[in-house]
């Protein structure tokens, strides 16, 4: 089984998260993922890059606690506020509800959503180290 390793210490914000995802999953590709949860989901589902040709893969996420902190409440709030400032692109009511939930419950954070996306892929065996 293919084993891929994410270095969570490289994750400091959303752009650096995608830099790390591209380093691990998109090596050798002539294109890179942009900072989009939809793109992450498509890549994990579609078998691009390192996953191409593999039915299953083990993904070890080293220093995941660092990543979780970097992609936590503050980062999530900033990302949602950035979206809220673009009502022509995003559903302001939905973003407002997400912000209210984040403030009331502390989540879901960006990291929570990333972990959910990985968890929705049964052929990916994610290990948080």
């Amino acid at each position: 089984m293919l084993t891929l390793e994410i270095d969570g210490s490289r994750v400091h914000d959303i752009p650096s998260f995608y830099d790390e995802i591209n380093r691990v999953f998109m090596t050798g590709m002539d294109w890179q993922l942009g900072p989009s949860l939809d793109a992450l989901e498509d890549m994990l589902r579609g078998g691009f890059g390192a996953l191409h040709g593999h039915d299953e893969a083990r993904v070890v996420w080293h220093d995941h606690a660092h990543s979780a902190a970097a992609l936590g409440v503050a980062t999530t709030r900033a990302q949602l506020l950035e979206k809220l400032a673009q009502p022509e692109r995003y559903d302001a009511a939905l973003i407002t509800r997400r912000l209210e939930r984040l403030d009331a419950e502390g989540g879901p954070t960006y990291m929570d959503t990333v972990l959910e996306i990985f968890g929705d892929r049964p052929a990916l065996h994610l290990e948080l180290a």
Side-chain angles (χ1 to χ4, degrees):
M1 178 185 320
L2 174 68
T3 297
L4 301 169
E5 298 187 29
I6 297 171
D7 181 351
S9 70
R10 293 175 176 239
V11 177
H12 307 289
D13 53 19
I14 293 171
S16 63
F17 165 70
Y18 286 95
D19 289 345
E20 181 63 4
I21 291 297
N22 282 315
R23 184 188 72 78
V24 173
F25 289 90
M26 301 303 289
T27 300
M29 298 297 293
D30 60 357
W31 59 280
Q32 301 282 285
L33 289 183
S36 162
L37 291 168
D38 290 335
L40 175 66
E41 188 170 17
D42 289 346
M43 186 269 303
L44 293 175
R45 184 183 319 118
F48 300 104
L51 295 175
H52 182 71
H54 296 275
D55 294 331
E56 289 186 88
R58 176 177 167 245
V59 179
V60 181
W61 194 322
H62 298 282
D63 207 358
H64 78 281
H66 179 85
S67 298
L71 301 176
V73 172
T75 297
T76 305
R77 180 178 289 108
Q79 185 230 17
L80 291 173
L81 289 172
E82 185 178 304
K83 286 183 174 187
L84 195 57
Q86 301 174 59
E88 69 283 358
R89 290 186 65 196
Y90 299 101
D91 181 341
L94 175 64
I95 301 302
T96 299
R97 286 193 302 274
R98 288 182 179 169
L99 276 166
E100 289 169 352
R101 183 172 176 203
L102 183 68
D103 289 338
E105 301 174 18
T109 65
Y110 201 89
M111 183 68 166
D112 293 333
T113 304
V114 165
L115 292 177
E116 182 179 316
I117 290 169
F118 271 88
D120 286 344
R121 305 290 163 262
L124 288 179
H125 308 282
L126 181 61
E127 297 177 20
L128 302 177

